[in-house]
Every structure is written in structure tokens, then in C-alpha cells.
Amino acid sequence: MELSPSEQLEFDRLKNIVREEHLKRGFQPIDTPLIYRSDVLLAKAGGETEKQIYKIDKGDNDLSLRFDLTVPLARYVVDKQGELSFPFKVSQVAKSYRGERAQFGRYREFYQCDADVVGRGHLDISYDAEVITLIGAIYDRFDLGNFTIRISNRKLLSGFWQALGLGEKSLELTQLVDHVYKMGAEEFEKCLSDLGVSDDQKPLVQRFITPEDTNELTLEGLKTLGVDNAEFASGLDELTTVLDLLKAQNADERVKIDPSIVRGLDYYTGTVFETTLDGREKEVGSVAGGGRYDNLANNYSSETFPGVGVSIGLTRLFSALKHAGVIVASKQTVVDTLILPFGPEQFAFSYWLAEQLRAQGENVDVLTQQMKFAKKMAYADRTGVKNVIVVGESEVETGQVKVKNMQTGEEQAKNVGQN
Amino acid sequence: MELSPSEQLEFDRLKNIVREEHLKRGFQPIDTPLIYRSDVLLAKAGGETEKQIYKIDKGDNDLSLRFDLTVPLARYVVDKQGELSFPFKVSQVAKSYRGERAQFGRYREFYQCDADVVGRGHLDISYDAEVITLIGAIYDRFDLGNFTIRISNRKLLSGFWQALGLGEKSLELTQLVDHVYKMGAEEFEKCLSDLGVSDDQKPLVQRFITPEDTNELTLEGLKTLGVDNAEFASGLDELTTVLDLLKAQNADERVKIDPSIVRGLDYYTGTVFETTLDGREKEVGSVAGGGRYDNLANNYSSETFPGVGVSIGLTRLFSALKHAGVIVASKQTVVDTLILPFGPEQFAFSYWLAEQLRAQGENVDVLTQQMKFAKKMAYADRTGVKNVIVVGESEVETGQVKVKNMQTGEEQAKNVGQN
């Protein structure tokens, strides 16, 4: 995805909001390499990832491009643990690479915006609430309409299957729930049967995965489901705590407890969450997700680094929003004021004036390219600058300039004097 | 080069200065891919580059990682020319890759900060002065001590050799001048002889490449050198114009005309420049350089896109400055204020307080990890936060908190109330 300058400005607006919110909340920015030894990258990954990876052909080393920001973070934490203080709150806004067949909304080169809190040995549950709060803060500022953050806890599902005597099929059943919204009720029931769920148990499964109207009712429903299992109880406990912490921050308005949320099979072990834009759930898909993991670095260290993180796939989001017409590429430039000197005799004054305006915080360009006046105005119009100041002989002499607003056409006289 | 969080902050300070100065002067940020078809990347490059390139092993396509930001810019300009307005002022702050043998100060993955002005058909000479001004603005804000921007024009050297009847050896002679500061006087003279420079001509060569005390005297010296060649005259004319334009912007203080500046053989055709930190010329080397090129895209388009650009190798600069002790990694964090709640009972108040301070522009973290109080203070000290606010029962009750300055140890009472 290569953007035109005006699209790039909108993309950068979103990227800068993410960076600012990370900073404001104490997430330290780090910058990790794109290239790793293939065995390091693939230590955690399955066969599907191996197929998508970009291998590098260089000397004897088996190198590859990273396919996400998780392995780079794991390596960073293990390598720099002596210099870090835990919990380590960390921000990565950077590109990754997957050699997928090019298809709509999937890019081979894509930005991810990850925020993680990593502990050593132990990490308090409160950080689960913190990264969920972060999603809300970012999407509030994105200003892309209402959104919903669906949260659950993986221990609920896992404990639920055990309590039903279906622990052996836990993985498959969880995978099935992950796809429940993509299939009809009949197909779902058939799949449940295939995996050994009895007809008696099916209503319980339905009750379990269907959220109630309020989070309180959903939690109450989970409590009264009659599931007698320690892992389920622990998951319910954590979920309740996270919701309470969100309430304490007035950050629960957009949050909906939804026990069908899974977020992939391998990685997450506790809290999980997924975000969608209201009314654009299918069109755009998940726009921010993440969760709690037991150990970031189990392939690289004997120490335990539990963490919780959230990832926003900014390239996919941007492309989907562009396609949905939410983001419209308009004439737009970084330039606030464009100064148009008549000719080289007015360059010095124009440069001087530009510096004055820059000192006042404006982005200013001076168009010194020689072209006809009409072409200069066309350039100003085409690039979408806000203001234009034409500098001729009399402007230099008197220090009186006219600032022309390119949207309204209004001109405002301004005495700039020259020192 | 992977940096610790506190080093990363200093690196990001420099990177952000570059981005801000680019924006302020109307250079539009773009974001180009890292991966290109190998034949596109290598269209312009010589054999040395081909050896350094990272090839990618993926399907049938012959792909590689970019080794600089010039090819990506050329592709961008050609692909998007219909959407662009010329002169197109463009900013790229991004990574490139070269598979050099790892050695001090050379990294396989490195940041370059490029600013270019690209014209279609023609580009006014004034933009040469503009990118030189940009270097000054950036290095003034870098605050790394005094610096010198050495400038010349490639037409001078080329015309000079022609006037001396040495046009056939022009390339080799220019390459020799490029290395004059690295060799002794005797060696230089011997090399001149080997390339056909007569003993009579040698004093003229010396006079030509040696700058005088002031730019005016150097220009005067070039004029009175007695070189009768149109290309030389044109180069002298351009150089004089560029210096005049720099004077008009009060941007000539750090600029020194130095006819021995070459900046590589293939690419540049007019103005060339190189920047060094005063007193660290050898230790750190060139810290910003660039020049004028006739055609950005001659391999990709039949149209002519002349341009002028400046590049700062930020990774190499940072590494050299770290090694020279100019950049010292100190305890440093993005966090202005760290809030330390005694326990979960104080979380809600602490979160609320954090949001108040964030709304005032502070970066704030809340340490909710459960640990002994002494450990919490050690965490605050170790991470280098500026202020600490401890929140216990009485703080929540009264809304009175104490802001502890971690450098001075002073405490300041503050009534924050709770709404």
C-alpha cells in the first residue's frame, strides 16, 4: 500500500494518535530489527506462518523478515532484561511482512501498533484493564464513529469444556466457537454434535456463549450456569476484576463481555479482547485486539515473562476505511502558508517572511520555481494549502502583505515589517 | 543497532527534530515499501551495491530489500506523478538495508533521513540553497556543537579537467580529489602524475582544490584561476548563486565553499555538499550530505525529473556520537509522573488522577503491580521518572497529594480534589 501525499497525511494522523496515547500512558517506544534468524522467528510459529515468511538470501545465515512484533519484543526483553525495569510498558509502531497472496485488505507490508506490559515472574491483572482502556482512548481520538470492545477470558472456555467432560476436544471446540458468528445455527449445532457435545448440553453451550444485554447480567449468567470447575471460576474472577477496574476508570462504556471471543488458539491464556466499529463489523472486521499471555519468551529464556498486549493493524484498518468511504483522500498538504515571490528579487524577503511564520508554528513553503503567475496559483490550489501570500516589489518595499485564504478567497492585510 | 529505552528516547529526539524541520519547511512525508523487484532496485546501482543487497527468497519473483531511499523515491514520483504537484518537496525518514560486513559504525539496518525537491523538466537553482538551509536548521536544533557545511559544484571539477586537456581521465582525477584529505601531499602528487597531470599543472590543481579563508576569496580565486571552459563557468555561476541565496537567508555562517567536495561519482551533476561536526571530522565523518541530480528517474521514465536532496544517516551519526561520548545514555523515561497507589483500594483514585494530569499534557504511569513500597520507589528511581505521587488512604480521603521531585527530593503539596 503506497499512499499519495494527502492520504499519507491522514494515515500519519492515525499513527501519531497511537504514538501520543502510548506515550501519555507511559509506554516506552522501542525500535526492533526487521531481520532475524529464521529459527528465532519460527520458534513459536506454526506451519502456516512458515509458508508466509519472507526468507532472505544472503551468505550462510538463514535469515527472514519478521511477520509480527511479538518475536522482536520477546528478543528485546530477553536481551535487555538487565537494563529494563518490570513491569515494562512498551510501544512498537512499525512494519511487519507476510508473503500472503495479495488480496483486498491484506498487504505484504503492513503497520502494526503494539502496546504491551511485560512483567518478570508475575504481572498484576490491572494491566489487562489498562491496555483495554488504551484502545478506548485511541479510538475515541480516531473519531471513526462508535465502537465496541468485546472481552472475555480464555479460562472460561477451557474450564467450561472440562466441566462438560469434553476436555479432550477443548481445542477443536474453542476453534468452533471462534467461528460461531460466521456460520448458521444449524451448522453450529451439527459441528457441536460432531465434536461430542450431547443434545442435552447444547442449550448450555448456547447460554454460555451468548452475551446478555448488560455486562452485569452476562457475569451473573456465567455465575449461575452451574459450571463446577476451578479454571472456569478463576477466569470468571479475572473477568469480573477487569470489568471492575474498567468501571473505576469510567472506561467500560464501550466494553461488552462476550464469552465467544477467542483471539486465536496458541498464544493467549487469560483475558482476550477484540474491537469492532459499530455497524461496520463485517465490512471492516476487528480493528484492535489482544490479550494476556503466560510467557512472552518461553522459547528464548528460562525466566517467565507474563504480559498483556494490544495490537492495532493500522494498514488493514486504513485500507478498509478507505474502501468503506470513511476516509476520503482530499486535497491536503502539510503546508499552512505558501509564499509566492514574483521573481528572484523577492526571494530574500520571502525567505525572511517564511522564517517569521515558522517561528509562530506554521509550516511554510516558498515557491521559488519560475513559472507564470497563473500556474503558481494553480499550484497553490492543487496542493491544498490554506493561505497564500504573494510577494512583489511593493510588498518588499512597504512590508505590507495580503494573506489570502484559499478556501474563502478572503484577503487579510498584514504588516510584517522587515527587521 | 538495538537501543535501550533511554537511548531510544535520545534517538527519537533527533529523529523528531528532522521530521519537524521537514514539515515546517513544507516537505511532504511519504512512506515507501522496503521490498522491490531486484531489477528495479539495481537499475542504477553498480556491482558493489549488488553484492551488498539483501535478496528475498519467495516464489518466482526476484525481490530485494531497498539499500537507500533514492530508488523508492524515483518509483514513487514516476508512479504517482499524476497526483503530485511539481516542484514536489518530499520527506522520507526510514530504514534501509545493506549486507555489509558488520563493522563499527556500519549497520546492516539503518535509518536515513532524506529531504528532496523534485521538479518535472526543470528545477530552480534556489532549491539547492533551500536543502542546505535545511541542514543548518536541523543541526542547530540537534545541539551537537558547531558544524561546517562544505559546498561545491561538480561542474567545476569536470570543466577544470577538460580545460587542462585531461577530460579523458576526468573520472579518475575526480575520484582522486575525493580522497585528497586521506593521503599525504607526496602521495597525492604522485597519483596526479600517474593520471597525466604535468608538473606545471600541479600548482594550479592545488590552488583550485584549496579553499581560501573566506567564501568570497575562494570564489574570487576560482574566477582568477584562468580556466577557460563553459562547464566550469556554469558551475561557478551556480555556486555563486547558491551562496548568494544562502546569504539572503542568513544561512551562510556555517557554509564553506570547498572545491574538493565530490560526494560520489555517479549520481550528482551540480551542487554538492557535505557536513562535518567541528573538531570531530575524522572521528564522526560526514553527518549530512547531498546534492543536485539531473534526473531522478532516468531508468523508469522518459520524462526528466531533476532534483536536489539531502540525506542524514541517523543510525551512523547516533552510533558515532555515542562512541565519542557526545550522547550519554542516562536514566530517562517518557514518564513525567509516576503514581504509586498503596493497593487496589487506591487504583480508582490513581487512575482518575492520572487522567487529570494527562489532560494537562503530562505523560503519566500508574504502578499497579503489587510490590513492597521500597521496591516501588526503587522502580521510580531506576526508570528515571521526574515526579512521584504516592496515593494511600488519606490522599483518597482528602484529595491532598504530595508531588515528589525525584531529582531534588522536594515535596510539593497539591490539592487535586475528586470530582
Side-chain angles (χ1 to χ4, degrees):
Chain A
M1 183 169 71
E2 208 172 29
L3 304 173
S4 69
S6 65
E7 290 171 332
Q8 189 70 51
L9 281 178
E10 177 62 13
F11 189 86
D12 288 352
R13 183 184 77 85
L14 301 180
K15 201 167 71 178
N16 288 335
I17 286 174
V18 174
R19 285 200 170 121
E20 280 169 31
E21 287 300 321
H22 285 184
L23 276 184
K24 232 199 240 181
R25 287 149 203 285
F27 290 84
Q28 306 270 343
I30 64 167
D31 195 345
T32 49
L34 257 86
I35 302 173
Y36 289 84
R37 279 199 356 243
S38 302
D39 58 331
V40 169
L41 275 182
L42 292 169
K44 227 170 193 158
E48 196 49 40
T49 305
E50 185 157 5
K51 270 184 243 158
Q52 297 181 349
I53 209 170
Y54 277 111
K55 291 215 174 196
I56 284 171
D57 188 12
K58 183 90 203 159
D60 295 335
N61 294 325
D62 185 3
L63 303 171
S64 295
L65 295 184
R66 68 185 180 203
F67 54 89
D68 69 11
L69 301 173
T70 304
V71 173
L73 176 60
R75 291 301 322 171
Y76 188 92
V77 166
V78 170
D79 291 347
K80 304 253 178 221
Q81 56 182 295
E83 298 167 59
L84 303 179
S85 301
F86 295 90
F88 177 45
K89 292 173 76 173
V90 57
S91 159
Q92 290 189 86
V93 177
K95 287 176 180 174
S96 289
Y97 295 82
R98 287 190 193 210
E100 297 181 276
R101 266 174 311 137
Q103 49 172 297
F104 176 71
R106 294 273 167 197
Y107 291 88
R108 292 174 180 182
E109 174 168 310
F110 53 94
Y111 269 99
Q112 278 179 294
C113 309
D114 283 17
D116 288 84
V117 190
V118 181
R120 178 147 61 183
H122 170 75
L123 182 72
D124 197 82
I125 183 81
S126 48
Y127 291 104
D128 298 35
E130 182 162 349
V131 296
I132 294 169
T133 311
L134 175 64
I135 302 178
I138 289 171
Y139 272 87
D140 276 342
R141 285 190 59 197
F142 273 2
D143 199 17
L144 299 169
N146 283 345
F147 55 91
T148 301
I149 309 171
R150 289 185 170 73
I151 68 172
S152 183
N153 191 299
R154 288 291 298 273
K155 294 176 187 169
L156 287 174
L157 267 169
S158 167
F160 181 73
W161 303 127
Q162 284 168 37
L164 258 56
L166 296 160
E168 275 177 29
K169 292 278 179 190
S170 181
L171 216 67
E172 290 88 341
L173 284 163
T174 300
Q175 199 159 19
L176 179 62
V177 168
D178 200 13
H179 294 101
V180 62
Y181 288 123
K182 288 178 186 160
M183 50 179 71
E186 221 167 302
E187 192 189 351
F188 182 60
E189 285 213 15
K190 189 183 167 304
C191 290
L192 284 178
S193 299
D194 290 350
L195 288 167
V197 180
S198 70
D199 286 347
D200 289 356
Q201 291 171 326
K202 282 179 188 170
L204 197 67
V205 173
Q206 273 307 350
R207 254 182 71 197
F208 169 50
I209 64 168
T210 311
E212 305 283 344
D213 283 345
T214 70
N215 291 329
E216 289 68 25
L217 286 175
T218 307
L219 284 177
E220 194 53 38
L222 291 170
K223 260 177 225 151
T224 55
L225 209 57
V227 177
D228 184 20
N229 174 280
E231 198 179 352
F232 185 91
S234 160
L236 189 53
D237 203 43
E238 289 181 13
L239 191 55
T240 308
T241 303
V242 168
L243 187 70
D244 285 346
L245 286 160
L246 290 169
K247 282 184 190 165
Q249 300 175 70
N250 292 316
D252 63 323
E253 199 198 337
R254 308 273 184 214
V255 168
K256 186 178 174 69
I257 294 182
D258 181 344
S260 75
I261 294 297
V262 172
R263 269 315 283 175
L265 287 181
D266 303 331
Y267 195 51
Y268 298 113
T269 50
T271 303
V272 280
F273 42 86
E274 224 166 68
T275 313
T276 47
L277 301 177
D278 295 359
R280 299 187 188 279
E281 290 82 359
K282 285 203 173 157
E283 193 182 11
V284 177
S286 175
V287 297
R292 159 75 72 147
Y293 38 87
D294 269 348
N295 193 357
L296 176 68
N298 48 355
N299 295 289
Y300 316 112
S301 171
S302 57
E303 273 206 81
T304 308
F305 296 97
V308 63
V310 57
S311 184
I312 297 177
L314 201 58
T315 300
R316 209 186 60 73
L317 172 70
F318 189 84
S319 135
L321 292 174
K322 207 173 107 180
H323 187 252
V326 179
I327 288 173
V328 182
S330 58
K331 277 193 293 188
Q332 223 185 336
T333 170
V334 297
V335 175
D336 299 307
T337 298
L338 178 68
I339 300 177
L340 303 181
F342 262 43
E345 298 74 27
Q346 286 82 40
F347 282 3
F349 179 88
S350 299
Y351 286 138
W352 172 83
L353 179 57
E355 282 304 326
Q356 306 308 303
L357 297 175
R358 284 174 192 140
Q360 290 163 34
E362 284 193 46
N363 297 337
V364 184
D365 192 13
V366 182
L367 187 62
T368 51
Q369 180 85 334
Q370 284 161 38
M371 39 174 128
K372 291 202 181 109
F373 185 70
K375 273 203 132 183
K376 287 186 185 173
M377 289 307 286
Y379 178 94
D381 180 50
R382 191 161 181 230
T383 54
V385 299
K386 288 192 206 108
N387 302 308
V388 161
I389 299 176
V390 175
V391 175
E393 263 180 51
S394 79
E395 278 80 6
V396 177
E397 219 166 85
T398 62
Q400 287 278 352
V401 300
K402 283 181 189 144
V403 182
K404 188 186 177 77
N405 181 315
M406 290 295 283
Q407 277 215 302
T408 64
E410 274 172 55
E411 287 194 329
Q412 211 183 335
K414 198 173 176 179
N415 189 346
V416 294
Q418 184 161 13
N419 61 354
Chain B
M1 181 167 74
E2 206 172 31
L3 304 173
S4 68
S6 65
E7 290 171 333
Q8 189 69 53
L9 281 178
E10 177 63 12
F11 188 86
D12 288 351
R13 182 183 77 84
L14 300 180
K15 202 168 69 178
N16 288 335
I17 286 173
V18 175
R19 285 200 171 123
E20 280 169 29
E21 287 300 321
H22 285 186
L23 275 186
K24 233 199 241 177
R25 287 149 202 284
F27 291 84
Q28 304 270 345
I30 63 167
D31 195 344
T32 49
L34 258 87
I35 302 174
Y36 289 84
R37 281 200 352 244
S38 301
D39 58 333
V40 169
L41 275 181
L42 292 169
K44 223 166 194 158
E48 195 49 42
T49 305
E50 185 156 7
K51 270 185 243 157
Q52 296 180 351
I53 210 170
Y54 277 110
K55 292 216 173 196
I56 285 171
D57 189 10
K58 183 89 201 161
D60 294 335
N61 295 325
D62 185 4
L63 303 171
S64 294
L65 294 185
R66 68 183 181 205
F67 55 88
D68 70 10
L69 302 174
T70 303
V71 175
L73 176 59
R75 291 299 323 171
Y76 188 91
V77 167
V78 170
D79 292 347
K80 304 251 177 223
Q81 53 181 299
E83 298 168 61
L84 304 179
S85 301
F86 296 91
F88 178 46
K89 295 174 75 173
V90 57
S91 158
Q92 290 188 89
V93 177
K95 287 177 180 172
S96 290
Y97 295 82
R98 288 191 192 213
E100 298 181 275
R101 265 174 311 136
Q103 50 172 297
F104 175 71
R106 296 273 167 195
Y107 291 88
R108 293 176 179 180
E109 174 169 312
F110 52 95
Y111 269 99
Q112 276 179 297
C113 309
D114 282 18
D116 287 83
V117 190
V118 181
R120 178 147 62 182
H122 170 75
L123 182 72
D124 198 82
I125 183 82
S126 48
Y127 291 103
D128 297 36
E130 182 162 349
V131 296
I132 294 169
T133 310
L134 175 65
I135 301 178
I138 289 170
Y139 272 88
D140 276 342
R141 286 189 58 195
F142 273 2
D143 198 17
L144 299 168
N146 285 345
F147 56 91
T148 301
I149 308 172
R150 288 183 171 76
I151 69 172
S152 185
N153 191 300
R154 287 292 297 274
K155 295 176 187 168
L156 286 175
L157 267 169
S158 168
F160 182 73
W161 304 128
Q162 284 168 38
L164 258 56
L166 295 160
E168 274 178 30
K169 292 276 179 191
S170 181
L171 214 68
E172 291 87 341
L173 284 163
T174 301
Q175 196 159 23
L176 179 62
V177 168
D178 199 15
H179 295 101
V180 61
Y181 287 124
K182 287 177 186 160
M183 49 179 70
E186 221 168 301
E187 191 188 352
F188 181 60
E189 286 212 16
K190 190 182 168 301
C191 290
L192 284 178
S193 301
D194 291 350
L195 289 168
V197 180
S198 71
D199 284 349
D200 289 355
Q201 292 173 324
K202 282 179 187 169
L204 197 67
V205 174
Q206 273 308 348
R207 255 182 70 200
F208 170 50
I209 64 167
T210 311
E212 304 285 343
D213 283 347
T214 70
N215 291 329
E216 288 69 23
L217 287 175
T218 306
L219 284 178
E220 195 53 38
L222 291 171
K223 260 176 227 152
T224 55
L225 211 55
V227 176
D228 184 19
N229 175 282
E231 197 177 353
F232 185 91
S234 161
L236 188 53
D237 203 43
E238 289 181 12
L239 192 55
T240 308
T241 304
V242 169
L243 188 70
D244 284 346
L245 286 161
L246 290 169
K247 280 184 191 165
Q249 301 176 69
N250 292 315
D252 63 321
E253 198 197 338
R254 308 275 184 215
V255 169
K256 188 179 173 72
I257 292 180
D258 182 344
S260 74
I261 294 297
V262 172
R263 268 317 284 174
L265 287 183
D266 302 330
Y267 194 52
Y268 297 114
T269 51
T271 304
V272 280
F273 43 85
E274 225 167 68
T275 312
T276 48
L277 300 177
D278 295 359
R280 298 187 190 280
E281 289 82 357
K282 286 205 174 154
E283 191 181 11
V284 176
S286 175
V287 297
R292 158 76 70 149
Y293 39 87
D294 270 347
N295 193 357
L296 175 68
N298 48 354
N299 294 291
Y300 315 113
S301 171
S302 57
E303 275 207 79
T304 309
F305 296 97
V308 61
V310 55
S311 183
I312 298 177
L314 200 57
T315 299
R316 210 188 58 75
L317 172 70
F318 189 86
S319 134
L321 291 174
K322 207 173 108 178
H323 188 251
V326 179
I327 288 173
V328 183
S330 58
K331 277 192 297 188
Q332 223 185 336
T333 171
V334 297
V335 175
D336 300 306
T337 299
L338 178 68
I339 300 178
L340 304 180
F342 262 44
E345 298 74 26
Q346 287 83 40
F347 282 3
F349 180 88
S350 299
Y351 287 137
W352 171 84
L353 178 57
E355 282 304 326
Q356 307 307 305
L357 297 174
R358 283 173 193 143
Q360 290 163 33
E362 284 194 45
N363 296 338
V364 184
D365 192 14
V366 183
L367 188 61
T368 51
Q369 180 84 332
Q370 283 162 40
M371 39 174 126
K372 287 198 183 117
F373 184 71
K375 274 203 129 183
K376 288 185 185 173
M377 289 306 288
Y379 178 95
D381 180 51
R382 195 164 176 225
T383 53
V385 298
K386 288 192 207 109
N387 302 307
V388 161
I389 299 176
V390 175
V391 175
E393 263 178 55
S394 79
E395 280 79 8
V396 176
E397 220 166 87
T398 62
Q400 288 277 352
V401 299
K402 284 180 190 146
V403 183
K404 189 184 177 80
N405 181 315
M406 290 297 284
Q407 277 215 302
T408 64
E410 273 172 55
E411 287 193 330
Q412 210 182 336
K414 195 172 178 178
N415 189 345
V416 293
Q418 184 161 13
N419 60 355

mmCIF file of all heavy atoms in Angstrom, chain A residues 363-378:
data_model
loop_
_atom_site.group_PDB
_atom_site.id
_atom_site.type_symbol
_atom_site.label_atom_id
_atom_site.label_comp_id
_atom_site.label_asym_id
_atom_site.label_seq_id
_atom_site.Cartn_x
_atom_site.Cartn_y
_atom_site.Cartn_z
ATOM 1 N N ASN A 363 3.701 25.732 9.182
ATOM 2 C CA ASN A 363 4.501 25.092 8.140
ATOM 3 C C ASN A 363 4.427 25.964 6.895
ATOM 4 O O ASN A 363 3.332 26.261 6.414
ATOM 5 C CB ASN A 363 3.975 23.693 7.816
ATOM 6 C CG ASN A 363 4.060 22.762 9.005
ATOM 7 O OD1 ASN A 363 4.863 22.976 9.919
ATOM 8 N ND2 ASN A 363 3.238 21.733 9.012
ATOM 9 N N VAL A 364 5.582 26.392 6.408
ATOM 10 C CA VAL A 364 5.605 27.392 5.342
ATOM 11 C C VAL A 364 6.500 26.942 4.197
ATOM 12 O O VAL A 364 7.591 26.427 4.407
ATOM 13 C CB VAL A 364 6.122 28.742 5.881
ATOM 14 C CG1 VAL A 364 6.038 29.807 4.790
ATOM 15 C CG2 VAL A 364 5.338 29.172 7.106
ATOM 16 N N ASP A 365 6.018 27.133 2.984
ATOM 17 C CA ASP A 365 6.812 26.841 1.798
ATOM 18 C C ASP A 365 6.929 28.108 0.958
ATOM 19 O O ASP A 365 6.025 28.937 0.948
ATOM 20 C CB ASP A 365 6.122 25.729 0.995
ATOM 21 C CG ASP A 365 7.036 25.165 -0.095
ATOM 22 O OD1 ASP A 365 8.250 25.460 -0.069
ATOM 23 O OD2 ASP A 365 6.529 24.432 -0.957
ATOM 24 N N VAL A 366 8.071 28.247 0.293
ATOM 25 C CA VAL A 366 8.277 29.366 -0.628
ATOM 26 C C VAL A 366 8.418 28.771 -2.025
ATOM 27 O O VAL A 366 9.307 27.949 -2.257
ATOM 28 C CB VAL A 366 9.551 30.160 -0.272
ATOM 29 C CG1 VAL A 366 9.705 31.353 -1.216
ATOM 30 C CG2 VAL A 366 9.522 30.613 1.179
ATOM 31 N N LEU A 367 7.559 29.180 -2.948
ATOM 32 C CA LEU A 367 7.620 28.622 -4.305
ATOM 33 C C LEU A 367 8.562 29.471 -5.155
ATOM 34 O O LEU A 367 8.161 30.474 -5.741
ATOM 35 C CB LEU A 367 6.217 28.579 -4.920
ATOM 36 C CG LEU A 367 6.105 27.854 -6.277
ATOM 37 C CD1 LEU A 367 6.495 26.398 -6.149
ATOM 38 C CD2 LEU A 367 4.695 27.972 -6.843
ATOM 39 N N THR A 368 9.820 29.044 -5.220
ATOM 40 C CA THR A 368 10.822 29.822 -5.956
ATOM 41 C C THR A 368 10.974 29.330 -7.394
ATOM 42 O O THR A 368 11.729 29.920 -8.162
ATOM 43 C CB THR A 368 12.189 29.753 -5.239
ATOM 44 O OG1 THR A 368 12.503 28.387 -4.985
ATOM 45 C CG2 THR A 368 12.148 30.516 -3.942
ATOM 46 N N GLN A 369 10.312 28.231 -7.714
ATOM 47 C CA GLN A 369 10.337 27.756 -9.102
ATOM 48 C C GLN A 369 9.761 28.843 -10.002
ATOM 49 O O GLN A 369 8.735 29.447 -9.672
ATOM 50 C CB GLN A 369 9.509 26.470 -9.210
ATOM 51 C CG GLN A 369 9.452 25.869 -10.592
ATOM 52 C CD GLN A 369 10.650 24.956 -10.872
ATOM 53 O OE1 GLN A 369 11.719 25.129 -10.282
ATOM 54 N NE2 GLN A 369 10.476 24.008 -11.747
ATOM 55 N N GLN A 370 10.461 29.118 -11.124
ATOM 56 C CA GLN A 370 9.941 30.145 -12.029
ATOM 57 C C GLN A 370 8.829 29.592 -12.899
ATOM 58 O O GLN A 370 9.044 28.678 -13.682
ATOM 59 C CB GLN A 370 11.092 30.697 -12.880
ATOM 60 C CG GLN A 370 11.980 31.657 -12.078
ATOM 61 C CD GLN A 370 13.331 31.863 -12.710
ATOM 62 O OE1 GLN A 370 13.438 31.940 -13.914
ATOM 63 N NE2 GLN A 370 14.369 31.944 -11.873
ATOM 64 N N MET A 371 7.661 30.150 -12.736
ATOM 65 C CA MET A 371 6.541 29.798 -13.616
ATOM 66 C C MET A 371 5.606 30.987 -13.662
ATOM 67 O O MET A 371 5.690 31.904 -12.860
ATOM 68 C CB MET A 371 5.832 28.528 -13.138
ATOM 69 C CG MET A 371 5.660 28.348 -11.646
ATOM 70 S SD MET A 371 4.644 26.891 -11.255
ATOM 71 C CE MET A 371 5.658 25.991 -10.100
ATOM 72 N N LYS A 372 4.692 30.942 -14.641
ATOM 73 C CA LYS A 372 3.747 32.051 -14.776
ATOM 74 C C LYS A 372 2.887 32.159 -13.532
ATOM 75 O O LYS A 372 2.616 31.170 -12.853
ATOM 76 C CB LYS A 372 2.855 31.806 -15.996
ATOM 77 C CG LYS A 372 3.599 31.931 -17.306
ATOM 78 C CD LYS A 372 2.636 32.212 -18.450
ATOM 79 C CE LYS A 372 3.383 32.308 -19.762
ATOM 80 N NZ LYS A 372 3.110 31.130 -20.629
ATOM 81 N N PHE A 373 2.419 33.396 -13.253
ATOM 82 C CA PHE A 373 1.664 33.622 -12.032
ATOM 83 C C PHE A 373 0.439 32.714 -11.939
ATOM 84 O O PHE A 373 0.149 32.150 -10.882
ATOM 85 C CB PHE A 373 1.251 35.095 -11.932
ATOM 86 C CG PHE A 373 0.582 35.398 -10.635
ATOM 87 C CD1 PHE A 373 1.299 35.400 -9.442
ATOM 88 C CD2 PHE A 373 -0.784 35.648 -10.582
ATOM 89 C CE1 PHE A 373 0.680 35.656 -8.238
ATOM 90 C CE2 PHE A 373 -1.406 35.899 -9.378
ATOM 91 C CZ PHE A 373 -0.685 35.909 -8.208
ATOM 92 N N ALA A 374 -0.264 32.547 -13.029
ATOM 93 C CA ALA A 374 -1.469 31.698 -13.026
ATOM 94 C C ALA A 374 -1.115 30.266 -12.633
ATOM 95 O O ALA A 374 -1.856 29.595 -11.915
ATOM 96 C CB ALA A 374 -2.129 31.716 -14.394
ATOM 97 N N LYS A 375 0.034 29.816 -13.088
ATOM 98 C CA LYS A 375 0.479 28.464 -12.753
ATOM 99 C C LYS A 375 0.822 28.352 -11.266
ATOM 100 O O LYS A 375 0.615 27.308 -10.645
ATOM 101 C CB LYS A 375 1.710 28.103 -13.595
ATOM 102 C CG LYS A 375 1.359 27.510 -14.954
ATOM 103 C CD LYS A 375 2.525 26.675 -15.471
ATOM 104 C CE LYS A 375 2.065 25.316 -15.956
ATOM 105 N NZ LYS A 375 3.190 24.466 -16.384
ATOM 106 N N LYS A 376 1.367 29.444 -10.734
ATOM 107 C CA LYS A 376 1.676 29.427 -9.289
ATOM 108 C C LYS A 376 0.397 29.308 -8.469
ATOM 109 O O LYS A 376 0.339 28.556 -7.492
ATOM 110 C CB LYS A 376 2.430 30.709 -8.908
ATOM 111 C CG LYS A 376 3.869 30.735 -9.406
ATOM 112 C CD LYS A 376 4.612 31.957 -8.877
ATOM 113 C CE LYS A 376 6.008 32.013 -9.505
ATOM 114 N NZ LYS A 376 6.721 33.252 -9.181
ATOM 115 N N MET A 377 -0.636 30.061 -8.866
ATOM 116 C CA MET A 377 -1.900 29.977 -8.134
ATOM 117 C C MET A 377 -2.533 28.591 -8.307
ATOM 118 O O MET A 377 -3.127 28.046 -7.370
ATOM 119 C CB MET A 377 -2.873 31.072 -8.617
ATOM 120 C CG MET A 377 -2.483 32.484 -8.186
ATOM 121 S SD MET A 377 -2.207 32.685 -6.393
ATOM 122 C CE MET A 377 -3.894 32.625 -5.791
ATOM 123 N N ALA A 378 -2.390 28.024 -9.494
ATOM 124 C CA ALA A 378 -2.914 26.674 -9.730
ATOM 125 C C ALA A 378 -2.193 25.666 -8.831
ATOM 126 O O ALA A 378 -2.803 24.746 -8.289
ATOM 127 C CB ALA A 378 -2.757 26.299 -11.196
#
